[in-house]
Amino acid sequence: MAKKNESIDQTKRDKIDAEIVRLTKLLNDVDNKSKKIVESLIKNAAFMAVTLDELQETMNENGVVSEYQNGEHQWGTKKSPEVEIYNVMIKNHSAIMKQLTDLRPKAPPKTQDDGFEDFVGNR
């Protein structure tokens, strides 16, 4: 039984590592002062992205509502625990992704090509 859990943990670790690599490539142009901040944010963002995928799979399989018993004859339904965790984590993930996006260097504004350079160059 422990071997199965180890393979699940390794699979998750592999997915997290792949997401870290992906995000690191996207944020490669961040200045050196911000690199340490970026590394921590990337690790957290990668973990959350993989965990959010897992929560989505669980909600797709089991639904978003769970039944509960509160006393001998009192039954009801409520949001599943996965939905609660997902809602909190997606907000945190979005906040981290915004932070990472804000740390990227701003692209110079694009100038609108009016065709003048081509006109002069073709004369």
Side-chain angles (χ1 to χ4, degrees), residues 20-73:
I20 288 171
V21 169
R22 186 184 78 79
L23 290 173
T24 300
K25 285 180 183 176
L26 290 173
L27 295 158
N28 201 23
D29 54 355
V30 172
D31 66 81
N32 287 333
K33 290 190 315 186
S34 303
K35 289 280 187 197
K36 288 290 182 193
I37 297 168
V38 169
E39 288 175 20
S40 176
L41 290 173
I42 286 173
K43 287 178 184 176
N44 286 310
F47 169 78
M48 286 185 208
V50 172
T51 304
L52 286 166
D53 286 344
E54 290 176 346
L55 288 168
Q56 284 177 357
E57 288 176 23
T58 301
M59 289 185 293
N60 286 335
E61 290 173 12
N62 302 329
V64 295
V65 176
S66 61
E67 292 184 359
Y68 68 91
Q69 182 179 4
N70 188 15
E72 188 175 332
H73 299 290

Side-chain angles (χ1 to χ4, degrees), residues 58-116:
T58 301
M59 289 185 293
N60 286 335
E61 290 173 12
N62 302 329
V64 295
V65 176
S66 61
E67 292 184 359
Y68 68 91
Q69 182 179 4
N70 188 15
E72 188 175 332
H73 299 290
Q74 188 177 13
W75 294 82
T77 58
K78 64 178 182 172
K79 285 188 282 189
S80 70
E82 292 84 5
V83 171
E84 299 282 342
I85 296 167
Y86 184 89
N87 287 338
V88 171
M89 192 173 290
I90 193 74
K91 289 177 187 173
N92 292 336
H93 185 260
S94 296
I96 286 177
M97 294 307 290
K98 181 176 181 349
Q99 283 179 293
L100 288 171
T101 302
D102 290 347
L103 286 169
R104 293 191 72 204
K106 305 296 181 236
K110 291 184 178 179
T111 57
Q112 188 174 10
D113 184 10
D114 60 4
F116 182 74

